[in-house]
Amino acid sequence: MARELAGKVIFITGASSGIGAATARLCIAAGMNVALFARREAKLRELAGELDATGERVLVVAGSVERDEDIAEALEQTVQRFGRLDAVFANAGYGLCMSVMGMTDEQHHGIFETNYFGTVRTLRAAVPLLRQTADGLKHVLVCSSAASEISLPLYGAYAATKAAQDSIAGALRAELSGEGFSVTTVHPVGTKTEFFSTAGRLSNRKIEDDTPNTPAMFAQTAEQVARPIVRALRRPRPEVWPMMPVRFGLAMATAFPRLAAWAMRRQYRENVDG
C-alpha cells in the first residue's frame, strides 16, 4: 500500500537548486513539511518563499555538509520546528571535470569530503532522529548517480564518490532493515541543472552544455528526477532510476566490460578533441 505523505517531514541537503529544490517542490505538493539545507542562504530563502509564503511548512537552515555541527544544528531545528523527522535526502554534492592524474590531492580530498563524507555525516546525524519518530516513514535517500555503475572519463573522481555512496547505502539497507527503515539510492543521468557549469568553473574548464556527456534523448530535467523520488517515498524501493533504458544499458556494460571500455575510450577522445 502507498504511504501517506501529508504531514510528514523531510530534510534535504543541497536544496538550493537542481534536484534538491525540485524534490522539495514536489514534497510540498504532496503535503509534506520540508527542511531546506545548503550553503546559499539567499537561494534557500527564495525557494522557501516560492514553496510556502506563510513559512509554516518550510524551514531554512544554511550550512555545509562538511561540518558536523552545521548538520546537527539543522536537524535539531527541524525536529524542534516540526516535532518529527520522517525522511532524509542526502543530495549535496558537486562534480569535477578533470583527469584522475591531473587532480591534486586537495581536489581529490575535497570532492570526497562533500559528496561521500557529507553523506555519511548527514545519515549519522539523521538516523537516530528517524528512529525516534515512532510512526514515521524512517526513509533514507541518497543521491548517487548513473556514474556509480560505470566511470566516465574526466569525471573519475566524481564517479568514485557516487560509487562509494551507493556502497554504503546498500550496506545500510541491510543493517537497518530490522528496524523498519527504507534506504533508497537515486541514480540520475545528465540532468539540466547547475552541475556541469559548476564543474567547469571548479575545473577551470569552459562547459557550455547543460548535459555534455548525455545524449539529448536521455537528458533530464530536475523535475523528471524528483518525480520518481517522491513516488519512492510513497512506495519504498531500493533504487530510483529516472531513466530506465540507461539502467539496462549499464547492465550490458557490466556484462561486457570490453564493450564498455571501448565506449569510454571513444567518449574520452571526443571530449579531448572537442
Side-chain angles (χ1 to χ4, degrees):
M1 294 179 61
R3 304 190 298 189
E4 178 57 57
L5 299 184
K8 302 299 192 295
V9 177
I10 185 169
F11 177 81
I12 302 175
T13 69
S16 59
S17 65
I19 294 170
T23 302
R25 291 187 183 97
L26 293 186
C27 286
I28 285 289
M32 299 184 76
N33 299 312
V34 179
L36 306 172
F37 181 80
R39 292 175 299 172
R40 298 181 293 180
E41 184 172 2
K43 294 280 287 185
L44 290 178
R45 295 204 176 278
E46 180 183 350
L47 176 61
E50 170 197 332
L51 296 179
D52 179 21
T54 69
E56 294 179 0
R57 296 175 54 203
V58 180
L59 172 68
V60 167
V61 186
S64 171
V65 294
E66 295 183 10
R67 292 191 290 268
D68 289 307
E69 59 272 23
D70 285 7
I71 297 172
E73 173 64 21
L75 285 165
E76 182 180 350
Q77 288 189 39
T78 300
V79 174
Q80 288 178 349
R81 173 71 171 277
F82 299 117
R84 59 188 294 142
L85 181 67
D86 291 275
V88 58
F89 182 25
N91 169 69
Y94 68 92
L96 290 174
C97 183
M98 303 180 73
S99 69
V100 173
M101 300 304 293
M103 289 176 61
T104 65
D105 286 349
E106 183 180 12
Q107 288 167 326
H108 276 286
H109 284 293
I111 196 168
F112 265 89
E113 192 64 42
T114 296
N115 296 11
Y116 174 74
F117 288 107
T119 294
V120 172
R121 290 187 187 92
T122 300
L123 301 188
R124 189 165 51 203
V127 166
L129 298 175
L130 293 170
R131 285 190 177 113
Q132 293 174 16
T133 305
D135 61 340
L137 302 178
K138 292 183 178 178
H139 204 145
V140 171
L141 301 103
V142 175
C143 193
S144 181
S145 168
S148 65
E149 307 301 311
I150 183 171
S151 187
L152 299 173
L154 300 179
Y155 291 91
Y158 168 76
T161 66
K162 298 289 112 176
Q165 287 177 306
D166 191 27
S167 292
I168 60 165
L172 281 175
R173 192 174 295 124
E175 293 166 5
L176 297 176
S177 60
E179 301 179 57
F181 275 78
S182 300
V183 178
T184 299
T185 51
V186 183
H187 301 264
V189 295
T191 308
K192 298 175 182 178
T193 66
E194 299 176 359
F195 175 86
F196 287 105
S197 61
T198 301
R201 176 175 55 81
L202 295 174
S203 308
N204 197 27
R205 181 187 294 263
K206 190 174 183 179
I207 302 178
E208 296 179 347
D209 195 337
D210 286 338
T211 54
N213 301 103
T214 305
M217 65 181 295
F218 293 134
Q220 298 176 309
T221 65
E223 289 71 24
Q224 288 174 307
V225 178
R227 282 197 290 270
I229 292 174
V230 176
R231 286 198 296 269
L233 281 166
R234 288 195 175 97
R235 296 180 183 272
R237 65 200 70 178
E239 296 182 348
V240 166
W241 285 84
M243 186 67 68
M244 284 305 296
V246 172
R247 182 68 183 101
F248 296 131
L250 290 172
M252 292 293 291
T254 301
F256 300 98
R258 287 187 179 180
L259 177 62
W262 170 83
M264 292 302 99
R265 287 195 299 270
R266 179 179 177 180
Q267 184 177 57
Y268 177 66
R269 287 195 298 268
E270 289 176 353
N271 286 337
V272 171
D273 291 343

